[in-house]
Amino acid sequence: MRLHRLELEGFGPFRERQVVDFDAFAADGIFLIAGRTGAGKSSVLDGVCFALYGGAPRYDGVEKRLRSDHCAPDDPTNVMVEFSAAGTRWRVNRSPEYERPKHRGPGLTAEPHRAQLDELVDGAWIGRAARPVDVARELDEILGLNQQQFLQVILLAQGRFAEFLLAKNDDRQRLLRKLFGTRTYEDYQSALEQRRKDSERALASAEDGVLLLLGEAERLIEADALAGDEPDTDSPPASVSARFAAGERAAHRAAYRADTLVRDRDAADAAHAAAEGAHLAAKALREKQEHRARSRAALASLEAQSPSVAQDRETFDRASAAEALRAPIESTAHAAAVASAAAVIEDAALTAWVAAGEGSDAAALGIRIDELTGDLAVATAAIAAERELTGLEKTIAATRDRIDEFEQLLARLAAARVGLPEQVAHLDDELREHTAAAGALPSAQTQLGAVGARLAAARDAERLAAAQRDAESAQATALVALEQAAAAVTALLRRRLADHAGELAAALVDGEACAVCGSVEHPDPAARTQDPVTDDDLAAAERNMRQAAERERAASDGARTARAAYADAAARAGGDGVAALEAAHAAAENAVAAAQEAAAARDRLTTRRQQLVEAAAAAEAEHDALAVELASARQSLAGLDAQAAAARSAVDAARGDFATVAARIEDATQRRRLAQALCDAHADAAARAAAAQDAAADRDARIAASDFADVAEATGALRDAAARVALDRRIREHDAALRAERDRLRELELDLAGAPEELVELSATATELADARERWSSSVDAAAHAAQTLERLNDLFARATRAHAEISGLAADHEVIARLANTVAGKAPNTHRMTLESFVLAAELEEIVEAANLRLEEMSSGRYRLQHTDARAARGAASGLGLQIMDAHTGQARPAQSLSGGETFLASLALALGLAEVVTALAGGVKLDTLFIDEGFGSLDEDTLDLAMRTLDELRQGGRTVGLISHVAAMKEQLPAQLLVEATPQGPSIIRQDIAVRF
């Protein structure tokens, strides 16, 4: 993994956006992150850790404090890191949760934690995840390291450097557990301990189970009095085997008792069956006696209904005979009614015929109908001529109206055409005048555009003249400030040179050569001035001078730009002032307006002349068309008058005395209809009367041949169909019920032949049956209880026997499980008192120590080596993860806490680098191309610092980049590639990146 770029905005001490280009340090391989205490050096690494994992080592549990306190409410907070892993370049953006002003309304609202992961594909960034949880999941696969591993492998954070070396066994175990993920082994230990407890409980439960089963069996024996002649039944036998033997004897007695009670139950069952049979036989006899009594009563009731049923039978027979005469009687009545109705219709038709003025002679009806038919034929032929005459008269009137309208239109057109030539001539004169004035419009518009451009340039020149004066004034001010800053630097250099002898004298040491003359004696060293000039004073003055030079350069560029802009505007204005150009612009606008007005008038006159010419042509064409149509209308009117005269003569002859031919046709049609109706009614009345007489003769003949005396008697005997069906059903039901009841009574009398007439009593047999059922139920309950007792007793002893046999196997299993659980938990027989997890971590610790000693021996010039110890810890602490220092000078091992501050730093650095290598290998061989060490090197002397720097220099091999955080001056001199973190006077810090910085 290699870091390429870091951007911090609104994070920690950084308010404005700060950029770190790690690729710029790739050539050096090692760089220094320097700055004053509190400037924010460690915050650079906090930003890297926050971007990748959403948290920083110095802000555990207080994520909201990651936002810069220097931020305004609307300022954003964001961290961006670009890195490469497995040949792919990634970019992660992350911002913590913080409060910002609401977009709507007063108050603050929470801005949630946000994260975005992008991949660089073919030169373009492609989004891969956009939620914190998704980004964390993707980065976990990409990096292959969790946060704890990252802090021990890539980012060795401040305050945690020596934590691993000086930690107690318990604390070291917790740290290693996080790095190597060995909590699974602790889970194994817990699972085995739980199995031991379960096995122990199972063994105790099995023993208790045997005693519980035996106790329950003995209580059952005592409750059912199955102990027999056993002595001292109030207390159980002393041994389990004796209790098993006593139970076996009680089981035999229970089996014997169950067999005896089964035989008693069978005998009681037979007696109960006999009593039940006797009671059922008596009950059946009494039921038959009761059925016979009910049958006798029913037969008597049916025989009492026989006279009424005989009368219904006679009524039904007469109704059946009269039903054959129903049709002749009803048809005769219907024929008489129809004949009467036909006579009424005939009288009405005759009355209407006479009322129409005709005679009542029926014989002349046929002749009169023929006459009316002839009149209708003549009038029908004339009706068409009458309708044609009406249409001709309407057409003649419309034609005369059209002739009058044409004559009026021709008169109006002639009057309108009189003044058109004079109007056209007048328009031609006006059109020539306005056309000449509109021709000046293009030149006037061109002149207006040119004057407008010069006027705008003149106004710009006035404005830019003031800007030029301001820019030149600012340039003069900046030049004065630059000269003052340069003078201040010169003064400080002169003072520094004046005090240089005193500065060299202050560094002289008795017995050591002077750096100037080489003498080891220093009889009269120069004295230093009272106000010496320091490097910081010179650096501040030079920085002020550089800033003043930048401001002077910017002011000079601004003045030059202002002068060029003014000169350009004045040239475009043509040398004229704003007032003169405004007057010329107003005159040009008036000229354009006049030309535009003339052009508009020209267009209006052109349109009006065209309209007049077109109107004259249209009037002439319309006059000619109207003259043609008028002549045609007059010719058509003459022909229509001739046709109307001929039609009027034919209609007058055809209508006679009536107003119209149609009225004459209507009268003839009505009279012929009345005549035809009277003729038809007369014929129908005669036919209906003859039919009525024939029907009456047939009816009388049929009645004479029947058993009825006359029509009235036959009509009185008739019944409708529903009445006949009801009579027939009652007769049949009575006959069937009478026969069935007689047959039933006959069978009952035969069955009860020899039986007493009185009803038998059932109380005696019922009492005997109840006694037998009670005895049978008691014997069944006793036999079932004895069987259940025997089954329960046998089950209890069988379960107790199996449980007793399984105890030995459970005891052997418990011994194995308990020994394994205690060993894994670091208890006896584990003499080292190491848990399984400690054993695994001890192996990892040995690899870490081996890797660390490769560097510690070199940094300590072969004096110190780290040594893993599995000695037992005191007072129950965890064992197996101890660390101690082997001192080659004494040949003795001693605790790490006995090292000095510088020695502790070297040992911690070696151990941290060894831990990083082992964790890296465990994480799948992740390649680490970037490494940060955030720890003070101030505790090291000059020689030891050189050794440490050589060791760190070796880490650059293979293209690795190493970043160190320190404010030690010697490191600033040795590492030219530096990242400077400076706190501004306003509070926020800034980052300045220099590949080579001189001090």
Side-chain angles (χ1 to χ4, degrees):
M1 174 189 175
R2 176 183 294 277
L3 297 179
H4 297 286
R5 184 181 180 87
L6 171 66
E7 294 182 5
L8 303 169
E9 184 176 10
F11 182 86
F14 308 108
R15 175 183 177 181
E16 303 297 333
R17 179 171 171 267
Q18 304 297 317
V19 179
V20 179
D21 184 7
F22 293 112
D23 289 339
F25 299 121
D28 292 271
I30 187 168
F31 66 96
L32 180 68
I33 303 177
R36 293 183 180 274
T37 301
K41 301 185 295 297
S42 298
S43 295
V44 175
L45 305 188
D46 291 338
V48 174
C49 189
F50 171 71
L52 296 177
Y53 294 99
R58 298 192 300 153
Y59 296 93
D60 290 341
V62 286
E63 180 182 338
K64 294 183 179 179
R65 296 297 302 160
L66 295 171
R67 177 172 168 82
S68 176
D69 293 335
H70 302 292
C71 285
D74 291 325
D75 289 342
T77 295
N78 185 71
V79 179
M80 187 280 290
V81 167
E82 291 185 21
F83 66 94
S84 296
T88 303
R89 186 151 179 164
W90 302 89
R91 181 180 67 186
V92 57
N93 279 279
R94 192 185 296 271
S95 60
E97 179 182 354
Y98 63 91
E99 291 187 342
R100 59 164 177 80
K102 294 181 178 179
H103 295 310
R104 296 180 180 176
L108 301 176
T109 185
E111 181 73 13
H113 176 196
R114 302 181 184 276
Q116 170 77 31
L117 178 64
D118 303 318
E119 179 184 359
L120 186 62
V121 179
D122 296 331
W125 291 105
I126 307 299
R128 297 305 185 195
R131 296 189 307 161
V133 62
D134 298 331
V135 171
R137 182 170 55 252
E138 294 291 336
L139 288 177
D140 184 58
E141 296 182 3
I142 295 169
L143 299 175
L145 298 172
N146 57 35
Q147 184 176 0
Q148 287 294 333
Q149 292 172 334
F150 182 80
L151 294 177
Q152 291 293 336
V153 171
I154 295 178
L155 198 159
L156 307 182
Q158 184 177 7
R160 300 189 180 188
F161 204 65
E163 176 184 355
F164 188 64
L165 174 66
L166 303 178
K168 296 180 180 180
N169 280 2
D170 292 339
D171 297 333
R172 189 176 292 116
Q173 181 176 359
R174 283 191 291 272
L175 180 59
L176 290 173
R177 177 186 298 154
K178 294 178 181 178
L179 293 175
F180 295 104
T182 57
R183 186 171 294 277
T184 302
Y185 298 100
E186 186 180 15
D187 295 339
Y188 292 158
Q189 176 181 333
S190 299
L192 284 172
E193 177 61 19
Q194 186 61 42
R195 284 192 60 187
R196 184 195 66 78
K197 293 178 180 179
D198 294 343
S199 175
E200 185 176 6
R201 284 194 297 269
L203 180 59
S205 176
E207 293 175 348
D208 293 342
V210 172
L211 297 179
L212 181 65
L213 291 172
L214 287 176
E216 185 176 355
E218 289 166 351
R219 286 191 295 274
L220 182 62
I221 291 171
E222 183 179 358
D224 282 36
L226 295 174
D229 297 333
E230 296 288 342
D232 193 11
T233 57
D234 293 336
S235 60
S239 64
V240 175
S241 58
R243 295 172 71 178
F244 271 108
E248 185 177 359
R249 291 192 295 272
H252 289 311
R253 284 191 285 273
Y256 176 76
R257 179 184 293 178
D259 292 340
T260 302
L261 290 176
V262 167
R263 288 193 295 272
D264 294 343
R265 181 199 62 192
D266 294 342
D269 187 25
H272 173 263
E276 187 176 18
H279 179 68
L280 291 176
K283 188 176 180 181
L285 177 60
R286 182 180 177 89
E287 290 178 354
K288 288 183 178 181
Q289 289 175 334
E290 292 174 348
H291 288 168
R292 181 177 62 183
R294 288 194 294 271
S295 180
R296 289 174 178 174
L299 181 60
S301 176
L302 290 172
E303 289 177 345
Q305 297 174 5
S306 295
S308 175
V309 172
Q311 185 177 0
D312 290 342
R313 185 177 285 108
E314 181 181 359
T315 300
F316 178 75
D317 292 342
R318 286 180 60 81
S320 298
E323 191 64 26
L325 299 174
R326 180 186 294 275
I329 292 173
E330 292 180 351
S331 61
T332 300
H334 177 69
V338 170
S340 178
V344 172
I345 293 172
E346 182 183 12
D347 291 341
L350 180 61
T351 300
W353 176 249
V354 173
E358 299 290 341
S360 58
D361 186 6
L365 282 175
I367 298 171
R368 184 58 179 155
I369 291 172
D370 293 339
E371 291 175 355
L372 291 171
T373 302
D375 292 342
L376 284 174
V378 173
T380 301
I383 192 66
E386 186 179 40
R387 286 196 295 269
E388 183 181 359
L389 177 61
T390 301
L392 286 172
E393 290 175 348
K394 291 180 180 179
T395 304
I396 290 171
T399 303
R400 286 175 178 167
D401 291 340
R402 287 179 61 203
I403 291 172
D404 294 341
E405 183 180 357
F406 289 156
E407 290 175 348
Q408 293 174 3
L409 288 174
L410 286 172
R412 286 198 297 272
L413 285 174
R417 293 170 60 190
V418 173
L420 287 178
E422 291 78 4
Q423 294 180 18
V424 171
H426 179 68
L427 287 175
D428 287 340
D429 295 338
E430 292 183 353
L431 186 59
R432 282 191 294 273
E433 178 182 354
H434 288 293
T435 300
L441 179 60
S443 61
Q445 289 176 334
T446 302
Q447 179 65 19
L448 177 62
V451 174
R454 291 174 61 197
L455 176 59
R459 289 170 177 168
D460 289 343
E462 284 187 352
R463 177 179 53 80
L464 292 172
Q468 177 183 350
R469 290 191 295 272
D470 293 341
E472 289 175 347
S473 176
Q475 180 185 9
T477 302
L479 183 59
V480 171
L482 175 59
E483 291 173 351
Q484 292 175 351
V489 172
T490 303
L492 288 175
L493 288 174
R494 289 174 179 172
R495 288 171 54 194
R496 180 67 178 271
L497 291 174
D499 191 43
H500 194 57
E503 183 178 355
L504 291 175
L508 294 176
V509 178
D510 291 338
E512 294 184 3
C514 175
V516 178
C517 63
S519 174
V520 297
E521 295 180 358
H522 319 295
D524 187 17
R528 299 201 64 175
T529 61
Q530 294 181 353
D531 187 16
V533 177
T534 64
D535 290 341
D536 291 340
D537 295 336
L538 279 174
E542 290 175 352
R543 183 164 55 251
N544 290 335
M545 185 179 68
R546 287 196 299 272
Q547 293 174 352
E550 291 176 358
R551 288 193 292 269
E552 192 280 332
R553 188 183 308 110
S556 177
D557 293 341
R560 184 170 54 256
T561 302
R563 286 192 294 270
Y566 172 75
D568 178 69
R572 287 187 285 108
D576 294 332
V578 174
L581 289 173
E582 285 179 345
H585 187 267
E589 286 180 337
N590 293 333
V592 170
Q596 289 176 341
E597 184 177 357
R602 178 198 60 193
D603 295 338
R604 289 195 303 272
L605 293 173
T606 301
T607 303
R608 176 60 179 161
R609 184 183 185 284
Q610 181 66 28
Q611 291 175 349
L612 288 176
V613 172
E614 292 176 354
E620 183 177 0
E622 187 175 1
H623 180 274
D624 296 342
L626 287 175
V628 173
E629 290 185 2
L630 178 59
S632 175
R634 288 172 176 170
Q635 183 179 1
S636 176
L637 178 61
L640 290 173
D641 287 339
Q643 293 180 7
R648 190 176 295 109
S649 175
V651 169
D652 291 341
R655 64 189 177 191
D657 298 334
F658 293 91
T660 63
V661 177
R664 183 174 182 179
I665 292 175
E666 183 180 0
D667 179 75
T669 301
Q670 179 66 17
R671 290 178 183 278
R672 189 178 66 173
R673 182 181 63 76
L674 292 175
Q676 188 64 47
L678 177 59
C679 183
D680 294 342
H682 180 71
D684 184 64
R688 298 295 183 180
Q693 292 177 359
D694 293 341
D698 179 70
R699 179 200 62 192
D700 295 339
R702 289 177 180 275
I703 290 176
S706 66
D707 295 335
F708 298 101
D710 53 20
V711 175
E713 183 180 354
T715 303
L718 287 173
R719 298 289 187 275
D720 57 23
R724 294 197 306 274
V725 170
L727 290 172
D728 183 59
R729 182 172 60 252
R730 183 183 177 193
I731 294 169
R732 292 177 182 277
E733 290 177 353
H734 179 269
D735 294 343
L738 186 61
R739 287 194 301 273
E741 200 59 46
R742 286 173 177 171
D743 294 339
R744 185 180 302 108
L745 181 59
R746 185 182 306 109
E747 292 177 357
L748 290 172
E749 293 290 356
L750 292 175
D751 289 342
L752 295 176
E757 290 291 331
E758 299 79 7
L759 297 176
V760 297
E761 285 292 335
L762 299 178
S763 57
T765 57
T767 301
E768 293 179 359
L769 176 60
D771 294 342
R773 182 179 290 109
E774 180 65 27
R775 290 190 296 272
W776 171 75
S777 177
S778 300
S779 63
V780 168
D781 292 342
H785 178 72
Q788 291 174 357
T789 300
L790 177 60
E791 182 180 1
R792 178 62 177 160
L793 196 60
N794 289 334
D795 178 64
L796 289 173
F797 278 109
R799 289 165 57 193
T801 301
R802 289 194 300 270
H804 188 264
E806 293 174 356
I807 289 177
S808 58
L810 290 175
D813 292 343
H814 174 67
E815 182 178 0
V816 173
I817 294 173
R819 182 179 179 86
L820 179 58
N822 291 334
T823 300
V824 169
K827 303 176 183 178
N830 187 340
T831 57
H832 288 282
R833 209 161 62 194
M834 291 176 60
T835 64
L836 177 61
E837 184 185 21
S838 298
F839 179 78
V840 174
L841 292 177
E844 300 292 349
L845 183 58
E846 288 180 354
E847 292 186 17
I848 295 171
V849 169
E850 183 178 355
N853 283 330
L854 295 176
R855 293 184 172 86
L856 181 58
E857 284 184 332
E858 182 179 354
M859 288 189 291
S860 64
S861 301
R863 178 178 179 181
Y864 295 119
R865 283 180 57 85
L866 291 167
Q867 183 172 298
H868 165 243
T869 174
D870 56 2
R872 292 177 57 178
R875 292 185 294 276
S879 301
L881 298 177
L883 282 178
Q884 57 188 9
I885 303 297
M886 175 59 67
D887 191 343
H889 290 182
T890 64
Q892 300 293 324
R894 57 175 177 160
Q897 290 78 1
S898 64
L899 295 175
S900 66
E903 293 170 341
T904 299
F905 173 76
L906 294 179
S908 300
L909 177 60
L911 189 60
L913 296 176
L915 178 61
E917 291 183 2
V918 174
V919 171
T920 300
L922 188 65
V926 177
K927 185 178 180 182
L928 305 178
D929 295 318
T930 306
L931 176 66
F932 295 96
I933 300 177
D934 183 5
E935 185 67 30
F937 290 79
S939 59
L940 303 181
D941 57 36
E942 184 177 355
D943 295 335
T944 307
L945 179 60
D946 290 338
L947 291 174
M949 291 302 297
R950 285 201 302 271
T951 301
L952 294 175
D953 191 63
E954 294 176 358
L955 297 178
R956 298 187 299 172
Q957 297 177 0
R960 180 182 295 171
T961 301
V962 180
L964 306 178
I965 295 181
S966 180
H967 54 269
V968 176
M971 297 186 68
K972 296 180 181 179
E973 296 174 357
Q974 295 185 37
L975 300 177
Q978 297 182 11
L979 193 70
L980 301 180
V981 182
E982 299 176 349
T984 63
Q986 294 77 19
S989 296
I990 61 173
I991 297 175
R992 186 158 55 88
Q993 184 171 346
D994 289 331
I995 305 306
V997 179
R998 294 176 295 175
F999 293 89

